[in-house]
Amino acid sequence: MEQIQIIDSKKHVGEIVTIGAWVANKRSSGKIAFLQLRDGTAFFQGVVVKSEVPEEVFQMAKNLSQETSILVTGEIREDSRSKFGYEIGITNIEVVSESHDYPITPKEHGTDFLMDHRHLWLRSSRQHAVMQIRNEIIRATYEFFNNNQFVKIDPPILTGSAPEGTTDLFETNYFDQKAYLSQSGQLYMEAAAMAFGKVFSFGPTFRAEKSKTRRHLIEFWMIEPEMAFTHQEESLEVQEQYVAFLVQSVLDNCEYALDVLERDKEVLKTYTKLPFPRITYDDAIELLKKNGFDDIEWGDDFGSPHETFIANSFEQPVFILNYPKAIKPFYMKPHPTREDVVICADMIAPEGYGEIIGGSERATDYDFLLEQIKNHGLDEKEYSWYLDLRKYGSVPHSGFGLGLERTVTWISGIDHVREAIPFPRLLNRIYP
Ligand code: 4AD
Ligand code: MG
């Protein structure tokens, strides 16, 4: 008997196969037992008919407890009534390992309880669906950048630099020196762009932010492309093409997961239309003021209600361009005709999901950068390698960082970024 995964059902309709699975749920009558099974690839139904199997197989099926692991043997059949589309008509069951008193029962549980049991909660169908979407976004990211001749470069995790400011650094000992967990690979990616032209990184980043919001993680994954001989306008085009490609890939390859999450696919389709709208920071402030927001002045950063209002004024993700210099990192290129703003953009996702991309054109002038480093209270010595990039054939270059979990949260249509990563690190949580 061939052992298969249920996801490959299409190729095995009418065949007798064996599948390794866990019991997610079950219901039975005197004559028939319906097992809700999961084999890691999908959730599916197993049907045991009393009159068609030996009595001990039927009794075993009726008594299986939640999360018992089993090998089921039977025929793969099409099942047009289920979302998944296939089921197995079970003829034999072999218990691999019993499970007793599984803590996550089909009833509702509170979030804290579920987070304490994250190692088990991952088995549930909603979490499974979100992780499928995360996996597709990761796969599509590599496809997009490989198709566009970007080279994947891995920046270090242990660093001496603080590209995004010194307030949220995770400090650690590096023998007799201090080191920080990476906040962003950007500075290293700038060096790599001068060596390889177009590059991208994809790795974990860390922010010791005391933020307890539905958008903030302490440890999150970021995709950071960097492009030599590229101005901001071309970078924005790459960003919108990339994000539209991610949404399209999820629509193409994660239909089942989207259905489990009850995500509206028609809405997602509107996010694949290019170009995305662009609005300047100045105009965004004006838009907010005209609409009764008197808690914000020119020069302030946007809070989540502001971002949500701006996003709701458009149908697609929106770029907010050219923020005040004072609220952005040291490396951004100054505006050619204005002292007070820099050449940058954040991409704000629709539906209140907030900023998913931060990016900019990078300053190319040695003296300007050196002054910025000093003004930001950074140690000049730590950045001398970075300044070298402006000494030896400096070129216009731009890049951006997309937060993986915020993007997964948005495309999945879930409430909180903590469900977009297998084991979230949150302000008060490093367990499990
Ligand atoms: O806007 P950020 O801080 O930009 C950078 O780090 C740049 N160095 C990127 C670059 O230009 N190479 O972060 C980029 C993105 C944000 O837009 C957001 O999606 C995500 O990273 N992000 C977070 N996601 C989850 N939890 C947090 N605490 C996050 N902080 C940023
Ligand atoms: Mg940002």
Side-chain angles (χ1 to χ4, degrees):
M1 215 87 53
E2 193 183 356
Q3 186 161 338
I4 68 155
Q5 294 190 300
I6 193 73
I7 201 77
D8 292 326
S9 289
K10 202 178 175 174
K11 288 184 273 178
H12 298 281
V13 174
E15 289 174 24
I16 308 285
V17 300
T18 296
I19 300 176
W22 292 264
V23 180
N25 206 344
K26 68 164 195 290
R27 63 199 162 83
S28 59
S29 69
K31 292 182 181 145
I32 191 159
F34 295 102
L35 305 180
Q36 302 309 316
L37 302 174
R38 50 174 202 88
D39 78 338
T41 67
F43 287 72
F44 61 103
Q45 176 165 273
V47 185
V48 193
V49 180
K50 185 174 158 75
S51 60
E52 294 173 3
V53 298
E55 183 58 19
E56 68 266 24
V57 173
F58 187 71
Q59 287 310 321
M60 186 193 282
K62 274 180 71 172
N63 292 321
L64 287 171
S65 53
Q66 195 186 350
E67 289 305 315
T68 292
S69 49
I70 56 181
L71 290 171
V72 285
T73 298
E75 184 187 345
I76 297 291
R77 304 191 290 234
E78 282 183 48
D79 172 25
S80 54
R81 283 155 308 173
S82 79
K83 262 191 215 156
F84 179 63
Y86 299 93
E87 64 175 21
I88 180 166
I90 296 175
T91 49
N92 195 26
I93 299 172
E94 185 186 322
V95 170
V96 177
S97 183
E98 283 180 21
S99 159
H100 296 292
D101 305 318
Y102 186 67
I104 305 177
T105 57
K107 67 164 192 180
E108 292 274 314
H109 294 283
T111 303
D112 266 340
F113 179 86
L114 291 170
M115 290 296 289
D116 285 341
H117 294 86
R118 182 64 177 167
H119 52 298
L120 304 176
W121 189 23
L122 275 178
R123 302 180 185 193
S124 77
S125 62
R126 278 181 60 84
Q127 301 307 312
H128 191 266
V130 176
M131 290 307 138
Q132 297 283 343
I133 290 171
R134 179 184 170 105
N135 183 56
E136 176 59 21
I137 290 174
I138 293 169
R139 192 203 61 72
T141 289
Y142 283 95
E143 183 182 342
F144 180 84
F145 289 110
N146 286 331
N147 286 350
N148 288 285
Q149 281 76 46
F150 284 66
V151 178
K152 166 111 192 301
I153 295 285
D154 302 314
I157 306 290
L158 288 165
T159 72
S161 58
E164 303 302 313
T166 49
T167 50
D168 60 8
L169 284 172
F170 264 110
E171 200 177 299
T172 180
N173 291 330
Y174 195 76
F175 307 106
D176 52 357
Q177 278 177 281
K178 264 193 224 156
Y180 310 108
L181 298 184
S182 176
Q183 290 176 309
S184 156
Q186 182 194 317
L187 306 188
Y188 297 97
M189 300 313 289
E190 289 184 55
M194 301 304 139
F196 299 92
K198 295 200 284 184
V199 294
F200 75 108
S201 66
F202 192 167
T205 46
F206 306 85
R207 307 265 170 108
E209 277 177 293
K210 294 246 156 73
S211 313
K212 208 175 166 185
T213 78
R214 58 193 193 92
R215 300 173 179 178
H216 285 89
L217 292 165
I218 304 301
E219 178 181 305
F220 65 97
W221 287 65
M222 190 160 37
I223 293 105
E224 294 189 271
E226 194 70 34
M227 298 159 280
F229 294 101
T230 301
H231 292 288
Q232 173 73 345
E233 186 48 43
E234 297 162 73
S235 172
L236 297 184
E237 286 170 15
V238 174
Q239 292 173 45
E240 61 192 2
Q241 284 163 17
Y242 170 43
V243 169
F245 185 80
L246 294 181
V247 175
Q248 190 61 54
S249 299
V250 171
L251 280 167
D252 290 345
N253 301 319
C254 298
E255 198 184 345
Y256 178 67
L258 291 171
D259 285 346
V260 169
L261 297 167
E262 293 172 357
R263 184 66 163 127
D264 187 334
K265 284 179 250 173
E266 291 310 312
V267 171
L268 283 181
K269 279 182 198 159
T270 62
Y271 307 151
T272 63
K273 295 208 187 87
L274 298 184
F276 291 166
R278 289 138 165 83
I279 178 177
T280 62
Y281 172 89
D282 295 357
D283 289 343
I285 291 285
E286 204 170 304
L287 175 75
L288 291 169
K289 287 200 158 293
K290 260 200 285 186
N291 286 280
F293 286 87
D294 40 22
D295 59 338
I296 189 155
E297 292 302 329
W298 196 98
D300 295 341
D301 211 348
F302 299 120
S304 131
H306 307 123
E307 285 180 351
T308 299
F309 185 85
I310 297 165
N312 287 343
S313 311
F314 300 93
E315 289 212 327
Q316 298 136 287
V318 53
F319 288 112
I320 304 179
L321 312 179
N322 304 348
Y323 283 69
K325 184 177 166 189
I327 56 169
K328 286 294 179 186
F330 74 94
Y331 52 72
M332 291 187 178
K333 188 177 177 69
H335 192 278
T337 60
R338 279 179 62 181
E339 277 275 297
D340 53 348
V341 299
V342 284
I343 305 294
C344 69
D346 284 355
M347 187 193 288
I348 312 297
E351 303 171 75
Y353 286 96
E355 178 200 325
I356 51 170
I357 290 184
S360 73
E361 186 157 342
R362 319 306 190 186
T364 46
D365 183 71
Y366 185 96
D367 295 327
F368 172 82
L369 263 179
L370 181 59
E371 193 188 311
Q372 283 284 94
I373 286 168
K374 288 182 186 155
N375 288 346
H376 278 76
L378 301 169
D379 182 355
E380 202 184 309
K381 284 199 299 294
E382 300 288 356
Y383 295 84
S384 93
W385 68 268
Y386 181 69
L387 287 164
D388 272 356
L389 305 174
R390 275 69 180 174
K391 283 198 332 209
Y392 307 114
S394 185
V395 300
H397 62 290
S398 303
F400 62 94
L402 173 132
L404 175 64
E405 289 77 14
R406 286 199 194 166
T407 306
V408 171
T409 306
W410 163 54
I411 296 179
S412 302
I414 57 175
D415 287 338
H416 202 298
V417 73
R418 68 185 163 220
E419 292 183 38
I421 185 164
F423 295 98
R425 309 289 85 157
L426 299 165
L427 190 52
N428 297 314
R429 181 178 291 280
I430 194 169
Y431 176 88

